[in-house]
Amino acid sequence: MNVHLDCFPCFLKQALIALRLCTKDETVQEHILKSVLDDIKRSDTSKPPAYTTTFIHRTIRQLLGRDPFKDIKSEYNQIALGLYPSLKTIIKKSPDPLRTSTRLAIAGNVIDFGIFTSIDIEGTIKRSLENKLAVDDYDDFRNAVGASDEILYLADNAGEIVFDRLLVEELVSFGKNVIVAVKGAPVINDATVEDAVESGLVQACNVIDNGSDAVGTILQWTSSEFKEIFKNTQLVISKGQGNFETLFGSRENMFFLFQSKCHVVSRELGLSIGSMLLKKS
């Protein structure tokens, strides 16, 4: 998808969320907010919004001299780890553990402080387990998992990565070789290797970073190692709206697990905002 006019106020809103997480000094907030206007003015509307958002957050981190999301990422890793034992029990008792762990992974996608200022994790978990998904390609997903020995899993946010761990552990229990890719450097509240360690994910599978600080996965900005794995791994599981924006249609045998969090993406999909999707590429 490309940048729409409705994306422009959202760019500013996301910048303000980041600044308010890091400083209460309104003079600093104003200075940096005005500075990112240059990034917004340079938006290439022929590309996904993730390009512009990446430039905006690079500017914010540079001018602040630190990562504004560092503390809240760790906080939500711990909140999610507190839920992990009960969620693991739900999966074990489920008649279809793969389906249940997949739905919980989608529920975890609500943990996104690049967009939201507050979230309802437990309500989202309940909704993911009880309601129908707006797009549910689960049968194709289950068959693809069964036919694949190697799976590349593209993580999205910190906190959410604990929910990813539940699905990864289920895939590993089927004898699958799972590689999870996280970001190569901080951007918004996206997961990095540090979050993979804190969440316990590194104990379940091989974790690599993609060599990039881009929102979503902008392939030309990723490392040669990641590009090679992305191209050659039998199955790719992609988490989050940013990855959907940047990767949809980029290869076959890829599935997107996410919640549609903005009006532009929802409108393009023909769905209501907040819809949950397990969508085949």
Side-chain angles (χ1 to χ4, degrees), residues 48-51 53-54 154-157 181-184 187-188 190 210 212-219 221-222 226 238-247:
Y51 283 75
T53 310
T54 298
L154 308 181
D156 189 17
N157 299 317
V182 295
K183 295 298 164 60
V187 56
I188 320 184
D190 287 16
N210 70 0
S212 172
D213 69 343
V215 175
T217 302
I218 300 174
L219 285 171
W221 294 352
T222 60
F226 175 81
S238 170
K239 283 296 299 297
Q241 184 175 282
N243 280 329
F244 175 75
E245 291 177 18
T246 51
L247 289 175

Side-chain angles (χ1 to χ4, degrees), residues 31-278:
H31 168 67
I32 297 178
L33 203 59
K34 287 179 177 177
S35 296
V36 303
L37 289 174
D38 290 332
D39 296 310
I40 295 172
K41 284 192 292 185
R42 288 192 292 267
S43 292
D44 184 342
T45 54
S46 70
K47 296 183 182 297
Y51 283 75
T52 300
T53 310
T54 298
F55 292 127
I56 288 170
H57 284 280
R58 284 177 181 170
T59 297
I60 290 171
R61 292 194 304 274
Q62 179 183 7
L63 293 177
L64 284 172
R66 58 191 184 279
D67 175 11
F69 292 90
K70 182 175 177 59
D71 291 341
I72 202 165
K73 286 169 65 178
S74 183
E75 176 185 348
Y76 273 83
N77 283 335
Q78 294 305 316
I79 290 172
L81 282 169
L83 296 170
Y84 173 85
S86 62
L87 298 178
K88 193 73 173 176
T89 299
I90 289 171
I91 292 169
K92 287 181 178 179
K93 291 182 176 179
S94 168
D96 188 343
L98 180 60
R99 180 190 292 271
T100 300
S101 57
T102 301
R103 283 177 171 248
L104 288 172
I106 296 170
N109 189 232
V110 75
I111 305 174
D112 190 343
F113 286 96
I115 296 177
F116 303 133
T117 55
S118 63
I119 57 174
D120 177 10
I121 299 177
E122 294 188 3
T124 305
I125 290 170
K126 187 173 186 292
R127 186 161 60 91
S128 73
L129 294 175
E130 295 180 358
N131 296 354
K132 290 184 177 180
L133 302 182
V135 176
D136 191 356
D137 292 332
Y138 176 70
D139 288 342
D140 288 333
F141 177 74
R142 181 184 57 202
N143 292 337
V145 168
S148 303
D149 297 319
E150 296 179 335
I151 299 171
L152 174 62
Y153 192 109
L154 308 181
D156 189 17
N157 299 317
E160 176 183 354
I161 200 171
V162 176
F163 290 76
D164 297 328
R165 176 184 164 188
L166 293 164
L167 176 51
V168 167
E169 287 172 342
E170 191 61 29
L171 295 170
V172 170
S173 75
F174 295 151
K176 309 302 177 181
N177 177 27
V178 181
I179 299 172
V180 175
V182 295
K183 295 298 164 60
V187 56
I188 320 184
N189 66 318
D190 287 16
T192 61
V193 170
E194 182 179 354
D195 300 296
V197 171
E198 187 173 5
S199 68
L201 182 63
V202 292
Q203 299 167 16
C205 65
N206 183 27
V207 176
I208 64 169
D209 74 68
N210 70 0
S212 172
D213 69 343
V215 175
T217 302
I218 300 174
L219 285 171
Q220 62 265 40
W221 294 352
T222 60
S223 67
S224 56
E225 177 192 9
F226 175 81
K227 289 188 186 78
E228 190 70 16
I229 294 171
F230 180 83
K231 178 182 177 182
N232 294 317
T233 304
Q234 293 168 293
L235 172 64
V236 175
I237 298 173
S238 170
K239 283 296 299 297
Q241 184 175 282
N243 280 329
F244 175 75
E245 291 177 18
T246 51
L247 289 175
F248 187 71
S250 61
R251 58 157 285 166
E252 295 180 351
N253 212 26
M254 178 162 57
F255 288 82
F256 296 91
L257 285 64
F258 69 105
Q259 296 185 41
S260 181
K261 299 169 186 170
C262 79
H263 294 289
V264 170
V265 173
S266 300
R267 188 166 60 242
E268 292 236 343
L269 291 166
L271 301 171
S272 60
I273 194 166
S275 294
M276 297 184 179
L277 299 89
L278 168 52

